[in-house]
Structure formats: C-alpha cells, structure tokens
Amino acid sequence: MEQTLFYILAVVTVIGTIFAITEKHPVHAIVYLVTSFFALAVIFYLLAAPVVAVFEVIIYAGAIMVLFLFVIMMLDLGHPERAWRPHLREWWPALLLGGIILGAIVTLATGARTTSKAIPPVSVREFSRVLFQNYGVAVEVISMQLLFAVVGALYLGKRRKTNPSQPPLVSGGDKPFLPPDKGGPRGVI
Amino acid sequence: MIVPLEHVLILAAILFVLGLVGVLAWRSNIIMMLIGIEVMLNAAMLVFVGGAARWNVDGQIFALMIMAMTSAEVSLALALVVYLQRRKKTVNADAFNEMRG
C-alpha cells in the first residue's frame, strides 16, 4: 500500500512541478508548487522522516511560498499573462543539460535494485539528539547565516534618497508625516 | 525502505531536471528562475532523505540544513528582486546587464 502511495505522490509531484515551471503567471506557478511540496512532504513521511515532512510543510509551503506571494503582490508586475514565453533559442541549453541528466536516469532505471529492510520513523527526540550533539557547530553557523541574510535583506530593502524616481516622503510607509530619516521602524532599530 | 533507493533517485533526478529547465529557460522572469532553484533544492533534499532512509539519520539533518539555507537564500534573493525592480521597473534578467558601484 505504501509503495502505491509513493508512486502516486511521485506522479503528483512531477506533474505539479511541470505545471509550475510552464505557467506564465507567477501566482499560479506558486500555487502549483505548493501542491507539489505537499505531495513531497508526504513522500518524506513515507521515507521515515516525519520531522523533515513537518518542516517541509511549515517552512517551504508555509513561509517561503508566502514570501514569494508577498513579493509578487508588492512588485505590481502588470499583466503577466501578456508576457512572452521563452523562445526555442533559449530552450536549447536547458534541453541539452536535461537530456544529459535523463541519460543518468536511464542508467539508474536499468541498473540493479538495492532493497533493504524498512527502518522505523525517526522520532523528534532521536532527530534532535543527533542534531544538537553531533552537529551543534552547524546549527550555530546556520543561525549566523540567517542573521546575515536579515541584515542583507534590510540593506537591500532600504529606499535610498539618491533614487530619483522615488519621492522621499513615501519611505516611512505607514508614517508619511515624519521625516524619512527619523520615522518608520528603521529608526527604532 | 518501502521502495528501492533507485526509484527515489529517479524521482529526484526528474525534479532536478525540471528545476534546471525552469532556471535556464525562464530568463525573462527572475521570480520564475527562483522557483526553479526551489525545485532543484527540493530534489537535493529528497536525495538526502532517501539516503537517510537507506543508511542513517544524518541525511535528515542535512535536509533540515538545506531548508535553513534556502530560507536565507530566498529572503536575500527576493530583496534583490525588489531592489532591481525598483531600479529598472522590470524583472527580466536580460535587462540587468550593467553594473554600477
């Protein structure tokens, strides 16, 4: 039963991803991608990784995709359904590299099978013991990386006064009556 | 494991190819390129989780680290997209062909 479920979810994942990368509208592409990620989360659960499955739903489908949607709505892309699809001239490197990897897939499919015994699902206790005892330094490095990402995103998102196309009064956003260098949440930081 | 490891690897390779095609073909939209990168990273995570089901738990740890790395990467990349769109009023990657300090 679990094998059948795995193959069904694999088909759902692949079809959702195909729809996501061929869709012209970014919001539709993200909805397809969320469908694909949910199916992939159930695949992770079937592969004895319930913690990774839960984080896939929470972080990927919950946080990252909502961040994409937020940025797409903030950008005001105009009419994406009138955008042009890539030409055939731009498809050939993708098709070349994809064909090479498909050769690897054929090699995998025609090779020998390795079957092993089923392992029990990894509990949160076991997972976190391995994470914090064996890989504690990596957790610290990742926390520093997230801090750097926050600092970089704040720097890039700051509206500069030298940009002539933006009037300086809108830089506060929700507080338009304060001066831009003292108002807004960045003044608190 | 419920399925042979080769089937997991085949699924991951198909997902990786789809993400790669998305990145290389959608040069007219940076957001679609980022979606392709997400698909490729998910394929890498699937390989790690399949390896964890075959051998031991460490693959799941690395899948979690890929997830943390992806969240940092996406936040920076989307901030860059907002910045570039503010400068050039477009998200076409071919429009950003000049550098200024």
Side-chain angles (χ1 to χ4, degrees):
Chain A
M1 192 271 283
E2 288 164 338
Q3 295 182 354
T4 316
L5 193 56
F6 174 83
Y7 294 119
I8 292 171
L9 289 169
V11 170
V12 169
T13 308
V14 170
I15 290 176
T17 309
I18 288 173
F19 280 151
I21 67 167
T22 54
E23 181 65 49
K24 228 189 281 185
H25 202 294
V27 178
H28 297 174
I30 281 181
V31 173
Y32 283 128
L33 205 61
V34 167
T35 310
S36 163
F37 283 169
F38 271 105
L40 200 63
V42 182
I43 287 178
F44 286 161
Y45 186 80
L46 290 178
L47 289 176
V51 185
V52 183
V54 167
F55 275 118
E56 170 92 11
V57 172
I58 293 175
I59 296 181
Y60 260 102
I64 295 180
M65 291 300 121
V66 171
L67 188 65
F68 267 101
L69 280 182
F70 184 73
V71 169
I72 288 169
M73 289 176 186
M74 204 169 73
L75 281 185
D76 186 17
L77 292 176
H79 297 278
E81 66 272 6
R82 261 187 255 150
W84 44 278
R85 283 183 193 277
H87 295 137
L88 190 64
R89 183 170 43 86
E90 300 181 342
W91 278 93
W92 73 264
L95 293 181
L96 176 67
L97 292 172
I100 293 171
I101 299 178
L102 282 177
I105 293 176
V106 170
T107 311
L108 267 176
T110 56
R113 298 277 177 276
T114 58
T115 54
S116 60
K117 60 178 172 54
I119 65 169
V122 179
S123 65
V124 180
R125 183 185 300 270
E126 186 182 353
F127 183 85
S128 50
R129 183 178 293 131
V130 176
L131 176 63
F132 288 109
Q133 285 187 352
N134 298 353
Y135 296 99
V137 180
V139 174
E140 299 291 330
V141 170
I142 280 177
S143 66
M144 285 176 64
Q145 179 192 26
L146 288 171
L147 176 69
F148 296 156
V150 168
V151 173
L154 275 177
Y155 175 70
L156 283 173
K158 190 171 65 174
R159 291 185 189 240
R160 288 163 178 77
K161 288 179 196 169
T162 57
N163 195 350
S165 61
Q166 295 289 334
L169 269 183
V170 297
S171 74
D174 48 351
K175 295 177 181 174
F177 298 112
L178 290 175
D181 52 347
K182 295 187 180 62
R186 281 186 305 278
V188 180
I189 293 172
Chain B
M1 285 181 78
I2 55 168
V3 290
L5 182 62
E6 280 80 10
H7 290 178
V8 179
L9 292 181
I10 287 170
L11 173 62
I14 291 171
L15 285 180
F16 192 86
V17 167
L18 289 175
L20 187 71
V21 168
V23 170
L24 290 178
W26 273 106
R27 277 184 293 173
S28 62
N29 197 341
I30 294 186
I31 295 176
M32 296 300 289
M33 289 173 74
L34 287 175
I35 288 174
I37 290 174
E38 295 302 305
V39 173
M40 288 162 75
L41 284 166
N42 261 284
M45 272 176 54
L46 182 60
V47 172
F48 273 113
V49 172
R54 177 77 167 77
W55 288 287
N56 58 7
V57 193
D58 288 355
Q60 297 188 15
I61 309 286
F62 280 98
L64 191 71
M65 287 174 188
I66 287 176
M67 224 179 274
M69 187 270 293
T70 307
S71 55
E73 173 253 338
V74 163
S75 62
L76 266 183
L78 287 176
L80 263 178
V81 168
V82 171
Y83 176 66
L84 291 174
Q85 205 264 349
R86 212 177 269 159
R87 275 185 62 180
K88 287 285 183 72
K89 303 293 177 200
T90 180
V91 289
N92 192 346
D94 290 334
F96 309 122
N97 52 3
E98 59 182 11
M99 289 194 288
R100 187 173 65 92

